[in-house]
Amino acid sequence: MAPVQLTDYGVITDKEILPITRLNFGRTQLETSSGVHTLGRFECTGQVTVTGMPKSCEDLWRKGHTLSGLYSVMGTAMIETVYCDFTKLPSDPGFQTWIGYADVKSSPTYFFAQRNAQLSEIKIPIPFDVELLNVGGAMNFTSGKFTAPVAGKYFFSFTGLIRFPGSSSTLQYCRVFLYKNGDLTAKSFSDEISAANQYETLSLQSTLNLIKGDQIWLEIDSLTPPGNNLNGYGYDHFNGFLLEEDISQFVKT
């Protein structure tokens, strides 16, 4: 006989027996006795190991994040911004909402080069004598070569002014090519037929996928007849910049 209140409790620490689907109880000692049972809330401790950088809200959740909000996670080749609702479980709708891409650059890179001197020499990298901008130091103005500091997508643009001395019978033309590691990548062309001295513009633009160490430069491929030249005097411009860095090199698998 035990005419007093009795209690008992237990703590389940083996996660392999979860989930709990049933509780069994024996009879009470007296017919007038009653029993009450309570199944307490789960209490999680410790962290699940997630190797590498987090790639989703679920990775962040497994690392122990509990505050809902905007987070940056590692995408395939770019950093992505997601909204994580940690009031929900990973299997619940709305647990992760994709927001967009984050413009992350480990090495900001952009340059603006200008030529003041005339140039008529063909098939050499065009050098530039005025450095207006060279953030990241990737452009060598003396050699005329740009060296990619990181892998990614780059944009390049060239505008030039050509001086044609004049000819009533001969087609005068100039071609300027863009090269990547010695391979022809883009072309520009300008021509004129006139007995008088004339000036014509040419331009080219190109967006390229580059890996670290790739080199880009311009060359006058042909300039006909002799006496023509890239005019200089500040009318010849070459610029480029890193559009989007490929951050897959930082992803650890």
Side-chain angles (χ1 to χ4, degrees):
M1 302 294 289
V4 294
Q5 183 176 352
L6 301 176
T7 62
D8 193 9
Y9 73 94
V11 178
I12 297 173
T13 59
D14 184 0
K15 64 184 179 67
E16 299 302 325
I17 67 174
L18 298 176
I20 298 173
T21 59
R22 185 174 63 185
L23 294 174
N24 294 322
F25 301 93
R27 64 181 180 83
T28 57
Q29 293 182 351
L30 300 175
E31 292 183 1
T32 57
S33 298
S34 62
V36 177
H37 69 272
T38 301
L39 179 63
R41 299 182 62 183
F42 288 115
E43 294 183 9
C44 299
T45 59
Q47 294 180 355
V48 175
T49 301
V50 177
T51 59
M53 298 183 183
K55 299 178 181 179
S56 64
C57 291
E58 184 171 350
D59 284 351
L60 294 168
W61 177 75
R62 292 184 180 278
K63 284 177 174 287
H65 287 267
T66 58
L67 182 63
S68 299
L70 294 175
Y71 289 86
S72 295
V73 296
M74 184 68 72
T76 303
M78 294 184 63
I79 297 294
E80 299 179 3
T81 300
V82 293
Y83 177 77
C84 302
D85 186 353
F86 291 124
T87 64
K88 301 179 179 180
L89 295 175
S91 59
D92 293 338
F95 175 73
Q96 174 174 311
T97 302
W98 190 81
I99 302 300
Y101 293 105
D103 185 17
V104 176
K105 294 182 177 69
S106 63
S107 178
T109 304
Y110 36 95
F111 72 91
F112 182 24
Q114 181 178 293
R115 243 196 104 77
N116 281 339
Q118 295 180 344
L119 181 69
S120 58
E121 192 171 354
I122 65 173
K123 299 187 183 301
I124 65 164
I126 298 175
F128 293 87
D129 46 22
V130 180
E131 177 181 327
L132 298 176
L133 190 67
N134 194 17
V135 175
M139 180 64 183
N140 186 313
F141 291 79
T142 302
S143 69
K145 293 185 177 182
F146 172 88
T147 303
V150 295
K153 294 181 179 66
Y154 291 79
F155 175 79
F156 299 95
S157 177
F158 169 73
T159 301
L161 183 65
I162 308 301
R163 175 184 176 274
F164 294 113
S167 173
S168 59
S169 59
T170 303
L171 174 65
Q172 305 172 92
Y173 66 89
C174 175
R175 298 191 301 181
V176 174
F177 292 171
L178 183 73
Y179 286 89
K180 171 187 172 183
N181 300 329
D183 296 326
L184 178 60
T185 300
K187 301 178 180 181
S188 61
F189 178 85
S190 181
D191 64 353
E192 179 65 49
I193 297 180
S194 174
N197 187 60
Q198 295 288 331
Y199 293 89
E200 294 291 339
T201 59
L202 51 72
S203 64
L204 61 80
Q205 293 80 37
S206 184
T207 302
L208 300 172
N209 272 317
L210 304 181
I211 63 173
K212 183 177 180 179
D214 280 347
Q215 290 192 318
I216 301 295
W217 67 86
L218 296 160
E219 292 184 10
I220 301 176
D221 177 73
S222 55
L223 194 59
T224 304
N228 296 357
N229 57 57
L230 195 62
N231 189 62
Y233 297 105
Y235 290 104
D236 307 319
H237 300 212
F238 183 36
N239 68 83
F241 51 89
L242 173 61
L243 284 171
E244 177 184 302
E245 184 171 353
D246 181 355
I247 51 90
S248 61
Q249 59 187 313
F250 303 117
V251 179
K252 296 181 180 180
T253 57

